[in-house]
């Protein structure tokens, strides 16, 4: 089966929610810039009532309009960094409180890895230990279009700010890695975040010394942590039940590190047999092979857009021969790999 660009996992018609407090923070940031928030909302087709309603979330399409509109009206291409920097740990609700009351950074990041999806599914965290280093990666299960870079700026700046809050001045020797070429405002990253930033990597990630995982938190409270984590688990189960099986499998594949899992391996992670998982996928009109191709293509395009060499992209996707990858890529997209590289 040929996978076309239109088959990319997108958010058209998706029920993926964006916590409304994130949009409120963005609107308030625009106000701090001295811009007219009523003009911003009118520009994107929203009202104050919608942004400040009792509803807990907005649709992705609404968030996308606010994000793009704020960037356009502010004239600041780095507005994502500014928003992320002002998001406090407590702005993340129960997940933030669970992190603050954790015993140490390792426990806090494990909670964040599991329950990040209760705040947003637009990127998915993966915590990995690499010898003396830890990488907290952010996989991208969806094509975010023209707000991809500002959205990743928001998330990574919020992550860095949260770790600085939890660790104070002990966040040393950390590096932020980003999966796109340096934007025109690249120098603003190190200035705002206070750490080295490396562009053109395979995935967004914060890399820091593993010793920091054992740093104890002064506000550690096991009872509060258990209560907040329990509420997060309830919310996660409710959200997971609302996803179809294609979305669940795609998310697991996008989170996978290294070689993508086989059908048997992925079914086992859901506590299912491969036959049952295959039946669930057939019920929503997709096959496991098709989802694998979709994820390989999504990863390949993003790696190429970050200007990784074709040989490197082929290696990352498990192709021993780059020419085999090039043929597969042409079959998926109708274009050679160079079509998606800058310069």
């Amino acid at each position: 089966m040929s996978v076309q660009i239109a088959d990319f996992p997108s958010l058209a018609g998706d029920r993926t929610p964006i916590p409304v407090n994130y949009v409120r923070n963005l609107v308030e940031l625009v106000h701090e810039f001295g811009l007219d928030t009523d003009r911003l909302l009118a520009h994107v087709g929203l009202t104050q009532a919608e942004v400040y309603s009792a509803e807990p979330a907005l649709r992705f399409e609404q968030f996308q309009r606010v994000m793009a509109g704020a960037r356009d009206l502010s004239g600041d291409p780095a507005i994502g960094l500014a928003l992320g920097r002002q998001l406090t740990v407590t702005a993340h609700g129960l997940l933030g409180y669970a992190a603050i009351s954790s015993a140490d950074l390792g426990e806090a990041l494990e909670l964040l890895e599991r329950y990040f999806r209760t705040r947003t599914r637009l990127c998915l965290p993966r915590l990995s230990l690499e010898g003396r280093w830890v990488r907290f990666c952010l996989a991208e299960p969806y094509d975010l279009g023209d707000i991809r870079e500002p959205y990743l700026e928001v998330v990574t700046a919020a992550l860095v700010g949260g770790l600085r809050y939890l660790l104070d001045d002990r966040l040393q020797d950390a590096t932020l890695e980003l999966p796109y070429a340096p934007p025109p405002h690249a120098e603003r990253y190190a200035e705002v975040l206070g750490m080295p930033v490396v562009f053109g990597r395979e995935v967004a990630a914060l890399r820091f010394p593993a010793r920091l995982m054992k740093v104890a938190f002064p506000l550690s409270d096991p009872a509060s942590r258990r209560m907040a984590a329990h509420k997060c688990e309830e919310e996660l189960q409710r959200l997971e039940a609302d996803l179809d099986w294609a979305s669940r499998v795609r998310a697991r594949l996008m989170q996978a590190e290294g070689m993508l899992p086989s059908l048997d391996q992925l079914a086992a992670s859901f506590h299912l047999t491969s036959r049952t998982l295959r039946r669930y996928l057939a019920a929503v009109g997709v096959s496991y092979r098709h989802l694998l191709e979709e994820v390989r293509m999504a990863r390949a395009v993003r790696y190429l857009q970050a200007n990784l060499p074709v040989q490197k992209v082929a290696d990352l996707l498990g192709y021993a021969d780059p020419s085999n990858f090039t043929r597969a890529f042409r079959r998926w997209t109708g274009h050679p790999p160079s079509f998606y590289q800058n310069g």
Side-chain angles (χ1 to χ4, degrees):
M1 180 185 296
S2 175
V3 180
Q4 303 300 318
I5 286 292
D7 295 324
F8 245 119
S10 72
L11 287 148
D14 194 279
R15 291 172 291 175
T16 295
I18 302 293
V20 75
N21 63 302
Y22 291 171
V23 180
R24 291 171 186 162
N25 282 331
L26 179 56
V27 170
E28 288 158 11
L29 176 64
V30 169
H31 178 72
E32 291 176 14
F33 268 72
L35 299 179
D36 185 344
T37 55
D38 288 332
R39 181 185 171 209
L40 167 63
L41 294 178
H43 178 72
V44 301
L46 287 172
T47 65
Q48 291 275 356
E50 287 175 296
V51 173
Y52 289 94
S53 73
E55 291 295 320
L58 294 176
R59 298 187 309 277
F60 169 77
E61 183 265 343
Q62 293 172 305
F63 174 76
Q64 184 181 40
R65 296 204 313 262
V66 173
M67 187 88 234
R71 183 182 54 191
D72 293 343
L73 293 182
S74 71
D76 184 357
I79 195 170
L81 292 173
L83 173 62
R85 186 174 58 174
Q86 80 164 25
L87 282 175
T88 63
V89 174
T90 53
H92 307 296
L94 284 168
L95 180 55
Y97 287 109
I100 290 171
S101 57
S102 294
D104 53 32
L105 181 63
E107 187 173 81
L109 289 180
E110 287 172 1
L111 285 170
L112 187 58
E113 181 181 37
R114 176 160 181 78
Y115 299 122
F116 198 83
R117 285 167 289 175
T118 65
R119 309 309 299 157
T120 176
R121 295 200 303 270
L122 300 186
C123 55
L124 300 171
R126 183 180 68 241
L127 187 62
S128 64
L129 299 175
E130 302 174 353
R132 297 184 297 108
W133 297 92
V134 171
R135 291 178 79 239
F136 193 83
C137 305
L138 295 167
E140 300 172 62
Y142 297 103
D143 178 8
L144 299 182
D146 62 356
I147 69 160
R148 181 192 181 216
E149 289 183 18
Y151 179 75
L152 286 176
E153 289 177 350
V154 171
V155 175
T156 54
L159 177 62
V160 170
L163 263 62
R164 287 200 188 285
Y165 176 84
L166 295 170
L167 296 174
D168 197 20
D169 59 356
R170 290 168 292 188
L171 182 59
Q172 302 290 333
D173 303 318
T175 301
L176 180 64
E177 303 171 356
L178 290 168
Y180 46 82
H185 59 283
E187 74 284 351
R188 296 278 297 279
Y189 283 77
E191 173 189 323
V192 171
L193 301 176
M195 65 176 57
V197 178
V198 180
F199 295 93
R201 301 304 297 268
E202 302 94 62
V203 66
L206 182 63
R207 182 177 182 268
F208 57 89
R211 66 175 184 276
L212 297 180
M213 296 286 276
K214 296 299 182 183
V215 172
F217 290 171
L219 298 179
S220 175
D221 184 337
S224 296
R225 182 253 181 216
R226 283 195 298 271
M227 180 195 70
H230 178 70
K231 293 294 184 182
C232 288
E233 183 66 32
E234 288 180 344
E235 177 69 4
L236 178 64
Q237 293 303 320
R238 185 187 68 77
L239 290 171
E240 290 287 294
D242 199 38
L243 285 176
D244 63 47
W245 276 98
S247 297
R248 296 187 202 185
V249 168
R250 182 185 295 117
R252 290 285 177 93
L253 290 173
M254 291 300 296
Q255 280 183 290
E257 190 168 9
M259 296 296 292
L260 294 173
S262 66
L263 176 62
D264 288 341
Q265 291 169 329
L266 196 65
S269 75
F270 285 115
H271 306 290
L272 300 172
T273 65
S274 57
R275 182 177 180 181
T276 299
L277 181 56
R278 190 180 291 111
R279 187 171 71 249
Y280 286 168
L281 291 174
V284 293
V286 298
S287 69
Y288 188 64
R289 180 180 176 183
H290 181 81
L291 291 174
L292 280 174
E293 292 285 276
E294 194 179 82
V295 169
R296 284 194 183 105
M297 183 179 71
R299 286 186 173 185
V301 169
R302 286 172 183 155
Y303 293 159
L304 292 167
Q305 288 175 334
N307 277 345
L308 269 66
V310 172
Q311 174 71 63
K312 176 68 171 177
V313 176
D315 290 343
L316 289 169
L317 296 177
Y319 288 88
D321 185 346
S323 62
N324 290 338
F325 162 69
T326 298
R327 282 193 292 271
F329 193 81
R330 280 185 178 276
R331 186 177 73 252
W332 298 334
T333 69
H335 298 286
S338 59
F339 182 83
Y340 290 89
Q341 292 178 311
N342 297 316

